[in-house]
PDB file of all heavy atoms in Angstrom:
ATOM      1  N   GLN A 965      24.401  31.377 -68.720  1.00 71.00           N
ATOM      2  CA  GLN A 965      25.895  31.261 -68.835  1.00 71.00           C
ATOM      3  C   GLN A 965      26.500  32.727 -68.844  1.00 71.00           C
ATOM      4  O   GLN A 965      27.511  33.048 -68.283  1.00 71.00           O
ATOM      5  CB  GLN A 965      26.151  30.475 -70.100  1.00 71.00           C
ATOM      6  CG  GLN A 965      27.754  30.194 -70.369  1.00 71.00           C
ATOM      7  CD  GLN A 965      28.263  29.350 -69.301  1.00 71.00           C
ATOM      8  OE1 GLN A 965      27.562  28.341 -68.954  1.00 71.00           O
ATOM      9  NE2 GLN A 965      29.433  29.637 -68.766  1.00 71.00           N
ATOM     10  N   ARG A 975      29.249  29.011 -64.211  1.00 74.00           N
ATOM     11  CA  ARG A 975      27.814  28.807 -64.180  1.00 74.00           C
ATOM     12  C   ARG A 975      27.365  27.975 -63.001  1.00 74.00           C
ATOM     13  O   ARG A 975      26.365  28.181 -62.314  1.00 74.00           O
ATOM     14  CB  ARG A 975      27.410  28.168 -65.502  1.00 74.00           C
ATOM     15  CG  ARG A 975      25.874  27.970 -65.630  1.00 74.00           C
ATOM     16  CD  ARG A 975      25.523  27.257 -66.930  1.00 74.00           C
ATOM     17  NE  ARG A 975      24.123  26.872 -66.952  1.00 74.00           N
ATOM     18  CZ  ARG A 975      23.575  25.894 -66.313  1.00 74.00           C
ATOM     19  NH1 ARG A 975      24.384  25.058 -65.683  1.00 74.00           N
ATOM     20  NH2 ARG A 975      22.284  25.691 -66.455  1.00 74.00           N
ATOM     21  N   THR A1023      26.368  48.956 -45.157  1.00 86.00           N
ATOM     22  CA  THR A1023      26.952  48.847 -46.410  1.00 86.00           C
ATOM     23  C   THR A1023      28.282  47.980 -46.410  1.00 86.00           C
ATOM     24  O   THR A1023      28.506  47.181 -47.231  1.00 86.00           O
ATOM     25  CB  THR A1023      27.235  50.209 -47.062  1.00 86.00           C
ATOM     26  OG1 THR A1023      25.993  50.975 -46.990  1.00 86.00           O
ATOM     27  CG2 THR A1023      27.738  50.141 -48.495  1.00 86.00           C
ATOM     28  N   GLU A1024      29.059  48.363 -45.442  1.00 85.00           N
ATOM     29  CA  GLU A1024      30.320  47.603 -45.278  1.00 85.00           C
ATOM     30  C   GLU A1024      30.117  46.140 -45.126  1.00 85.00           C
ATOM     31  O   GLU A1024      30.789  45.270 -45.671  1.00 85.00           O
ATOM     32  CB  GLU A1024      31.055  48.149 -44.055  1.00 85.00           C
ATOM     33  CG  GLU A1024      31.612  49.522 -44.116  1.00 85.00           C
ATOM     34  CD  GLU A1024      32.793  49.670 -45.113  1.00 85.00           C
ATOM     35  OE1 GLU A1024      33.372  48.662 -45.333  1.00 85.00           O
ATOM     36  OE2 GLU A1024      33.122  50.757 -45.554  1.00 85.00           O
ATOM     37  N   SER A1025      29.144  45.806 -44.324  1.00 83.00           N
ATOM     38  CA  SER A1025      28.767  44.423 -44.098  1.00 83.00           C
ATOM     39  C   SER A1025      28.368  43.720 -45.499  1.00 83.00           C
ATOM     40  O   SER A1025      28.831  42.682 -45.820  1.00 83.00           O
ATOM     41  CB  SER A1025      27.623  44.282 -43.142  1.00 83.00           C
ATOM     42  OG  SER A1025      27.116  42.980 -43.164  1.00 83.00           O
ATOM     43  N   LEU A1034      29.352  40.304 -53.184  1.00 58.00           N
ATOM     44  CA  LEU A1034      28.006  40.929 -53.195  1.00 58.00           C
ATOM     45  C   LEU A1034      27.998  42.264 -53.991  1.00 58.00           C
ATOM     46  O   LEU A1034      26.980  42.519 -54.619  1.00 58.00           O
ATOM     47  CB  LEU A1034      27.522  41.213 -51.745  1.00 58.00           C
ATOM     48  CG  LEU A1034      26.026  41.268 -51.661  1.00 58.00           C
ATOM     49  CD1 LEU A1034      25.527  39.872 -51.404  1.00 58.00           C
ATOM     50  CD2 LEU A1034      25.631  42.260 -50.735  1.00 58.00           C
ATOM     51  N   LEU A1039      25.658  45.357 -57.973  1.00 59.00           N
ATOM     52  CA  LEU A1039      25.888  46.284 -59.100  1.00 59.00           C
ATOM     53  C   LEU A1039      25.341  45.651 -60.413  1.00 59.00           C
ATOM     54  O   LEU A1039      24.907  46.382 -61.322  1.00 59.00           O
ATOM     55  CB  LEU A1039      27.316  46.515 -59.265  1.00 59.00           C
ATOM     56  CG  LEU A1039      27.977  47.343 -58.082  1.00 59.00           C
ATOM     57  CD1 LEU A1039      29.393  47.513 -58.241  1.00 59.00           C
ATOM     58  CD2 LEU A1039      27.163  48.722 -57.918  1.00 59.00           C
ATOM     59  N   GLU A1059      22.034  63.155 -57.430  1.00 89.00           N
ATOM     60  CA  GLU A1059      20.694  63.481 -57.203  1.00 89.00           C
ATOM     61  C   GLU A1059      19.882  63.369 -58.463  1.00 89.00           C
ATOM     62  O   GLU A1059      18.739  62.832 -58.393  1.00 89.00           O
ATOM     63  CB  GLU A1059      20.538  64.960 -56.637  1.00 89.00           C
ATOM     64  CG  GLU A1059      19.307  65.205 -55.932  1.00 89.00           C
ATOM     65  CD  GLU A1059      18.985  64.320 -54.689  1.00 89.00           C
ATOM     66  OE1 GLU A1059      19.992  63.759 -54.092  1.00 89.00           O
ATOM     67  OE2 GLU A1059      17.824  64.162 -54.360  1.00 89.00           O
ATOM     68  N   MET A1066      13.927  57.129 -60.388  1.00 91.00           N
ATOM     69  CA  MET A1066      12.543  57.062 -59.741  1.00 91.00           C
ATOM     70  C   MET A1066      11.458  57.297 -60.741  1.00 91.00           C
ATOM     71  O   MET A1066      10.413  56.618 -60.787  1.00 91.00           O
ATOM     72  CB  MET A1066      12.505  58.086 -58.594  1.00 91.00           C
ATOM     73  CG  MET A1066      13.113  57.599 -57.287  1.00 91.00           C
ATOM     74  SD  MET A1066      13.383  58.887 -56.101  1.00 91.00           S
ATOM     75  CE  MET A1066      11.758  59.592 -55.949  1.00 91.00           C
ATOM     76  N   ASN A1069      11.268  54.258 -63.131  1.00 89.00           N
ATOM     77  CA  ASN A1069      10.798  53.016 -62.552  1.00 89.00           C
ATOM     78  C   ASN A1069       9.659  53.253 -61.548  1.00 89.00           C
ATOM     79  O   ASN A1069       9.509  52.379 -60.558  1.00 89.00           O
ATOM     80  CB  ASN A1069      11.992  52.280 -61.858  1.00 89.00           C
ATOM     81  CG  ASN A1069      13.034  51.991 -62.844  1.00 89.00           C
ATOM     82  OD1 ASN A1069      12.865  51.138 -63.708  1.00 89.00           O
ATOM     83  ND2 ASN A1069      14.261  52.621 -62.621  1.00 89.00           N
ATOM     84  N   SER A1080      18.568  55.791 -38.906  1.00 93.00           N
ATOM     85  CA  SER A1080      17.308  56.291 -38.410  1.00 93.00           C
ATOM     86  C   SER A1080      17.063  57.662 -38.885  1.00 93.00           C
ATOM     87  O   SER A1080      17.979  58.395 -39.325  1.00 93.00           O
ATOM     88  CB  SER A1080      17.398  56.248 -36.868  1.00 93.00           C
ATOM     89  OG  SER A1080      18.393  57.085 -36.433  1.00 93.00           O
ATOM     90  N   GLU A1106       6.931  56.961 -51.991  1.00 91.00           N
ATOM     91  CA  GLU A1106       5.645  57.118 -52.811  1.00 91.00           C
ATOM     92  C   GLU A1106       5.638  56.128 -53.939  1.00 91.00           C
ATOM     93  O   GLU A1106       4.621  55.510 -54.227  1.00 91.00           O
ATOM     94  CB  GLU A1106       5.534  58.537 -53.270  1.00 91.00           C
ATOM     95  CG  GLU A1106       4.991  59.501 -52.293  1.00 91.00           C
ATOM     96  CD  GLU A1106       3.670  59.016 -51.645  1.00 91.00           C
ATOM     97  OE1 GLU A1106       2.714  58.709 -52.398  1.00 91.00           O
ATOM     98  OE2 GLU A1106       3.680  58.972 -50.408  1.00 91.00           O
ATOM     99  N   ALA A1109       8.012  50.013 -54.978  1.00 88.00           N
ATOM    100  CA  ALA A1109       7.282  48.738 -54.971  1.00 88.00           C
ATOM    101  C   ALA A1109       7.425  48.035 -53.650  1.00 88.00           C
ATOM    102  O   ALA A1109       6.567  47.344 -53.174  1.00 88.00           O
ATOM    103  CB  ALA A1109       7.740  47.766 -56.023  1.00 88.00           C
ATOM    104  N   ILE A1111       9.701  48.528 -49.640  1.00 93.00           N
ATOM    105  CA  ILE A1111      10.574  49.395 -48.820  1.00 93.00           C
ATOM    106  C   ILE A1111      11.239  48.427 -47.821  1.00 93.00           C
ATOM    107  O   ILE A1111      10.580  47.708 -47.122  1.00 93.00           O
ATOM    108  CB  ILE A1111       9.735  50.465 -48.086  1.00 93.00           C
ATOM    109  CG1 ILE A1111       8.879  51.305 -49.089  1.00 93.00           C
ATOM    110  CG2 ILE A1111      10.761  51.421 -47.322  1.00 93.00           C
ATOM    111  CD1 ILE A1111       7.846  52.148 -48.366  1.00 93.00           C
ATOM    112  N   LYS A1143       2.727  52.464 -44.913  1.00 88.00           N
ATOM    113  CA  LYS A1143       3.281  51.499 -45.851  1.00 88.00           C
ATOM    114  C   LYS A1143       3.882  50.233 -45.131  1.00 88.00           C
ATOM    115  O   LYS A1143       4.273  50.387 -43.942  1.00 88.00           O
ATOM    116  CB  LYS A1143       4.359  52.209 -46.711  1.00 88.00           C
ATOM    117  CG  LYS A1143       3.954  53.332 -47.543  1.00 88.00           C
ATOM    118  CD  LYS A1143       4.758  53.501 -48.757  1.00 88.00           C
ATOM    119  CE  LYS A1143       4.056  54.135 -49.931  1.00 88.00           C
ATOM    120  NZ  LYS A1143       3.211  55.273 -49.661  1.00 88.00           N
ATOM    121  N   SER A1160      18.682  37.873 -49.673  1.00 85.00           N
ATOM    122  CA  SER A1160      17.650  36.833 -49.863  1.00 85.00           C
ATOM    123  C   SER A1160      16.325  37.500 -49.969  1.00 85.00           C
ATOM    124  O   SER A1160      15.434  37.067 -50.762  1.00 85.00           O
ATOM    125  CB  SER A1160      17.608  35.794 -48.726  1.00 85.00           C
ATOM    126  OG  SER A1160      18.914  35.245 -48.611  1.00 85.00           O
ATOM    127  N   ALA A1183      14.729  34.538 -41.597  1.00 91.00           N
ATOM    128  CA  ALA A1183      15.887  34.954 -40.947  1.00 91.00           C
ATOM    129  C   ALA A1183      15.766  35.219 -39.439  1.00 91.00           C
ATOM    130  O   ALA A1183      16.659  35.021 -38.636  1.00 91.00           O
ATOM    131  CB  ALA A1183      16.454  36.262 -41.634  1.00 91.00           C
ATOM    132  N   ALA A1230      17.171  35.764 -34.328  1.00 93.00           N
ATOM    133  CA  ALA A1230      18.001  36.035 -35.528  1.00 93.00           C
ATOM    134  C   ALA A1230      18.687  34.731 -35.864  1.00 93.00           C
ATOM    135  O   ALA A1230      18.801  33.787 -35.110  1.00 93.00           O
ATOM    136  CB  ALA A1230      19.036  37.101 -35.213  1.00 93.00           C
ATOM    137  N   LYS A1265      18.782  47.834 -23.351  1.00 86.00           N
ATOM    138  CA  LYS A1265      19.108  47.129 -22.127  1.00 86.00           C
ATOM    139  C   LYS A1265      20.602  47.311 -21.942  1.00 86.00           C
ATOM    140  O   LYS A1265      21.402  47.434 -22.946  1.00 86.00           O
ATOM    141  CB  LYS A1265      18.826  45.574 -22.258  1.00 86.00           C
ATOM    142  CG  LYS A1265      17.333  45.262 -22.010  1.00 86.00           C
ATOM    143  CD  LYS A1265      17.172  43.812 -21.726  1.00 86.00           C
ATOM    144  CE  LYS A1265      15.823  43.570 -21.185  1.00 86.00           C
ATOM    145  NZ  LYS A1265      15.644  42.090 -20.918  1.00 86.00           N
ATOM    146  N   ALA A1286       1.732  18.515 -12.046  1.00 82.00           N
ATOM    147  CA  ALA A1286       1.281  17.233 -11.560  1.00 82.00           C
ATOM    148  C   ALA A1286       1.336  16.188 -12.674  1.00 82.00           C
ATOM    149  O   ALA A1286       0.413  15.961 -13.416  1.00 82.00           O
ATOM    150  CB  ALA A1286      -0.200  17.280 -11.007  1.00 82.00           C
ATOM    151  N   GLY A1310     -19.422 -15.025  -1.004  1.00 90.00           N
ATOM    152  CA  GLY A1310     -20.018 -16.365  -1.317  1.00 90.00           C
ATOM    153  C   GLY A1310     -19.919 -17.305  -0.074  1.00 90.00           C
ATOM    154  O   GLY A1310     -20.835 -17.913   0.335  1.00 90.00           O
ATOM    155  N   ALA A1322     -28.805 -25.562  10.134  1.00 76.00           N
ATOM    156  CA  ALA A1322     -28.431 -26.275  11.341  1.00 76.00           C
ATOM    157  C   ALA A1322     -29.330 -25.808  12.500  1.00 76.00           C
ATOM    158  O   ALA A1322     -29.794 -26.671  13.272  1.00 76.00           O
ATOM    159  CB  ALA A1322     -26.973 -25.964  11.646  1.00 76.00           C
ATOM    160  N   SER A1328     -35.817 -28.082  15.747  1.00 70.00           N
ATOM    161  CA  SER A1328     -36.820 -29.170  15.606  1.00 70.00           C
ATOM    162  C   SER A1328     -36.487 -30.323  16.574  1.00 70.00           C
ATOM    163  O   SER A1328     -37.328 -30.955  17.146  1.00 70.00           O
ATOM    164  CB  SER A1328     -36.942 -29.687  14.182  1.00 70.00           C
ATOM    165  OG  SER A1328     -35.726 -30.198  13.733  1.00 70.00           O
TER     166      SER A1328
END
Side-chain angles (χ1 to χ4, degrees):
Chain A
Q965 185 67 43
R975 181 180 175 278
T1023 306
E1024 291 288 343
S1025 167
L1034 208 89
L1039 297 175
E1059 196 61 24
M1066 277 166 56
N1069 299 298
S1080 60
E1106 280 307 307
I1111 306 165
K1143 294 208 157 44
S1160 303
K1265 278 197 169 179
S1328 62

